[in-house]
Amino acid sequence: MTGALHLWLIPALPLAGFLINGLAGRRLSKGAINAVALGSVTLAFLWALRVFAAAHGFTEPHVESYFTWIESGPLSVAFSFYLDRLTLVILLVVTGVGMIIHFYSVGYMAHEGGYYRFFAFLNLFMFFMLLLVLASSFLLMFVGWEGVGLCSYLLIGFWFRRQSATDAGNKAFIVNRIGDFGFSLGMFLIFLTFGSFDFETVFAKATAVEPATLTIIALLLFVGATGKSAQMPLYVWLPDAMEGPTPVSALIHAATMVTAGVYMVARAGPIFTRSPLLAAGSVIHALSGQQDMRRMGGLAKRIPVTAATFVIGALAIAGVPPFAGFFSKDEILLHAYQRAPVLYAVGTLTAFLTAFYVFRAVFLTFYGASRVNAEAEHHVHESPAVMLVPLVILAALSVVGGWVSLSQWLFPVKTEMGQGLELTLMGISAAAGLAGIALAYWIYIARPQLSQKMAEAAGALYRLVSNKYYVDEIYGAVVVRPALAVSTHFLWKVMDAGVIDGAVNQVGRQSAGVGDWLRRMQSGNLRSYAGWVVLGAVAVVAALGAFFSR
């Protein structure tokens, strides 16, 4: 396609919102802060819609180059944006969902301190996420990649006066740095292999590269995706991320940042394919901060709109037709069956477990007997419209979104599978989801005492699951404590204090000793000084005589 779409405006708008609120927000009213933060992301969404309307029918990628960013020897990296059908979809997701969550946050954060700081960080996250999506090279993508990691750290630890919040922010930052180290190595190997970071150059040359090299690159990039998308073994930061405000989890850890890894893998598809080898915050708001489902129950009558949107979202996550989650789950399972039936079996079991645990949350929170304490019961209330409207919009998308066939639009390929077998597999996956819901109902509604009995009967197995398989403890024993021991006892006490400080201190002691000896020459006696002058003069004359007598 021809003509400039001015793609730079999409990330520039939330960046402007960050700068205004970040620099002047302390002096602005909440209304002004909202106008800046919400206005910037709304305009970004509207401009993304304009871009979609102008470009959705194009077949070739559209690149807008603005200036040369880095030039050093053979390395030349342009600051340019890359637009294709995949980019268009993710742009609409990031700007659309981001806009909704910004509006939701107005209600959620209404009575919290640091209001301007929260929206400044939220705008900054939007900027980096959009930079990641629009980047035309792996290097520019990496800037956005690191930026969303920074924003995750800032927002998870937003309530920094709580030690648990700062610990959670540090944990997210450190774990993601491990993944990003793999991403960095992958980028270095890309440059060594292709001589460029540019997507079009790399993808054009990928067919001529040895599959083994592409496999190494893909694995290294996937390490980065593992950290960003909270996959094993780098998933341990995600459970602690709820220390941040709930909109952070909705925007960063569910709707956008966790999909950054998925987007990166999809964007680098030519490398990978050639290698052989949300409503929870409204409940928390209603219960004045309570997050333990064991202290909820029977809330559907008190907060019906929240309950309805929560159930719709749960049905989508459980993969029940005709909700959106069914279509994505079914597509994944179909391709898994084509690759290996055992993968399909594992995926189906996972679908059953997913339906079970998400409806465990539904039944414990909204149905059955109330377990809310008397003080919290008095304050239970439905969330304000500024929070409920975004939930309703997202719930509606969960109902109808699956009928929009983005996969055929993005990748126009046809699955080679008989219709009868396909329908059978669809039926099995749907049945697995319904079975999970039925089991959750039986345990938590029909026989509410059964869960405690099962926990007692399971004994050690229950404790293992309840403690998250002791993964954090294993990391602590295998990685954290040895690293602290090495840094504390060897690097600090031996190398720093013993060797480096010891050498510096020894020089100081020697200098002090020499100075003390020289100090004794300063007696204050004029006759002594005169004697030293005469002695020095004799020494100089003798040296000069010896020199000229040669």
Side-chain angles (χ1 to χ4, degrees):
M1 67 175 291
T2 59
L5 296 174
H6 301 293
L7 299 176
W8 62 273
L9 277 171
I10 300 175
L13 286 164
L15 177 61
F18 160 72
L19 293 174
I20 295 171
N21 277 336
L23 296 175
R26 189 186 295 272
R27 297 183 294 274
L28 297 178
S29 66
K30 281 189 176 180
I33 294 170
N34 292 340
V36 171
L38 277 59
S40 65
V41 295
T42 300
L43 289 173
F45 173 65
L46 293 175
W47 197 261
L49 284 177
R50 179 189 179 280
V51 169
F52 181 85
H56 77 279
F58 72 119
T59 56
E60 295 297 323
H62 172 77
V63 179
E64 289 188 3
S65 185
Y66 303 108
F67 56 88
T68 299
W69 176 33
I70 299 174
E71 183 132 29
S72 177
L75 175 63
S76 180
V77 182
F79 193 97
S80 56
F81 289 158
Y82 181 93
L83 186 74
D84 63 1
R85 292 185 173 188
L86 176 62
T87 311
L88 278 175
V89 172
I90 302 300
L91 270 183
L92 292 178
V93 170
V94 173
T95 56
V97 175
M99 178 187 67
I100 291 172
I101 298 302
H102 273 69
F103 278 92
Y104 176 92
S105 300
V106 171
Y108 191 90
M109 299 296 292
H111 305 292
E112 300 291 342
Y115 191 83
Y116 79 95
R117 181 166 53 91
F118 176 81
F119 279 100
F121 290 164
L122 221 54
N123 275 175
L124 183 63
F125 167 78
M126 290 289 292
F127 163 71
F128 279 122
M129 188 66 199
L130 291 168
L131 185 66
L132 185 158
V133 171
L134 285 166
S136 66
S137 67
F138 284 100
L139 195 59
L140 188 56
M141 173 188 275
F142 189 67
V143 175
W145 188 272
E146 290 296 281
V148 294
L150 168 65
C151 294
S152 177
Y153 164 77
L154 293 172
L155 286 164
I156 292 173
F158 178 78
W159 286 307
F160 54 86
R161 290 187 175 88
R162 292 202 315 235
Q163 186 62 43
S164 58
T166 58
D167 289 344
N170 290 335
K171 186 176 183 180
F173 191 83
I174 293 168
V175 172
N176 272 277
R177 297 294 72 69
I178 297 171
D180 295 349
F181 180 67
F183 193 108
S184 302
L185 294 178
M187 285 200 307
F188 296 150
L189 187 54
I190 285 173
F191 185 74
L192 288 174
T193 304
F194 300 99
S196 174
F197 291 114
D198 184 74
F199 289 150
E200 291 190 318
T201 302
V202 171
F203 299 156
K205 295 181 178 180
T207 55
V209 176
E210 288 291 329
T213 302
L214 293 178
T215 298
I216 296 172
I217 292 172
L219 289 174
L220 289 171
L221 294 178
F222 195 73
V223 171
T226 299
K228 199 67 68 185
S229 296
Q231 303 299 312
M232 288 188 67
L234 301 179
Y235 70 95
V236 292
W237 65 270
L238 190 57
D240 299 277
M242 282 300 291
E243 286 292 340
T246 297
V248 174
S249 299
L251 175 64
I252 292 184
H253 306 135
T256 51
M257 194 183 91
V258 175
T259 63
V262 179
Y263 171 75
M264 184 272 291
V265 172
R267 171 58 64 217
I271 292 177
F272 281 85
T273 55
R274 289 176 173 84
S275 172
L277 303 177
L278 266 242
S282 186
V283 176
I284 297 169
H285 180 81
L287 295 176
S288 304
Q290 178 59 258
Q291 299 188 34
D292 190 344
M293 291 184 295
R294 294 168 296 183
R295 298 181 181 180
M296 298 181 187
L299 293 176
K301 296 179 181 178
R302 304 290 300 276
I303 47 175
V305 179
T306 295
T309 58
F310 197 109
V311 171
I312 291 172
L315 289 168
I317 293 173
V320 174
F323 296 91
F326 166 74
F327 295 92
S328 59
K329 178 195 72 173
D330 182 64
E331 191 77 14
I332 292 169
L333 290 177
L334 286 175
H335 287 285
Y337 185 86
Q338 287 181 305
R339 181 60 60 89
V342 67
L343 294 178
Y344 172 81
V346 172
T348 303
L349 176 61
T350 303
F352 166 78
L353 295 174
T354 300
F356 171 76
Y357 80 70
V358 73
F359 269 87
R360 172 182 178 269
V362 169
F363 294 136
L364 283 176
T365 303
F366 297 106
Y367 301 98
S370 174
R371 297 175 300 280
V372 181
N373 62 51
E375 182 180 356
E377 180 78 31
H378 179 70
H379 296 287
V380 173
H381 59 285
E382 187 63 276
S383 297
V386 73
M387 296 177 67
L388 292 180
V389 171
L391 294 181
V392 172
I393 294 172
L394 293 173
L397 291 175
S398 296
V399 175
V400 303
W403 296 97
V404 181
S405 181
L406 290 177
S407 61
Q408 290 298 316
W409 186 67
L410 286 171
F411 309 105
V413 295
K414 186 171 180 62
T415 303
E416 296 180 2
M417 181 174 292
Q419 185 176 7
L421 178 59
E422 183 175 345
L423 291 174
T424 301
L425 296 178
M426 290 171 61
I428 293 173
S429 65
L434 293 173
I437 297 173
L439 180 62
Y441 178 84
W442 182 56
I443 293 177
Y444 296 104
I445 297 296
R447 299 185 61 185
Q449 300 83 11
L450 187 60
S451 61
Q452 184 61 34
K453 293 179 180 178
M454 293 174 65
E456 294 172 356
L461 179 61
Y462 174 79
R463 290 192 295 274
L464 176 67
V465 176
S466 179
N467 288 282
K468 300 177 291 185
Y469 303 99
Y470 297 100
V471 173
D472 285 334
E473 289 76 5
I474 293 171
Y475 271 114
V478 176
V479 179
V480 178
R481 283 196 288 274
L484 287 175
V486 170
S487 61
T488 301
H489 296 289
F490 178 71
L491 295 178
W492 173 32
K493 293 184 178 179
V494 176
M495 295 300 297
D496 191 9
V499 178
I500 299 174
D501 286 354
V504 173
N505 293 336
Q506 184 63 28
V507 171
R509 285 191 292 269
Q510 294 297 328
S511 299
V514 172
D516 184 64
W517 181 79
L518 292 174
R519 179 181 58 80
R520 296 178 183 180
M521 298 174 62
Q522 306 298 319
S523 62
N525 190 310
L526 290 176
R527 287 180 296 179
S528 175
Y529 290 164
W532 282 109
V533 170
V534 172
L535 182 62
V538 170
V540 170
V541 170
L544 290 173
F547 176 78
F548 287 111
S549 64
R550 292 180 181 179

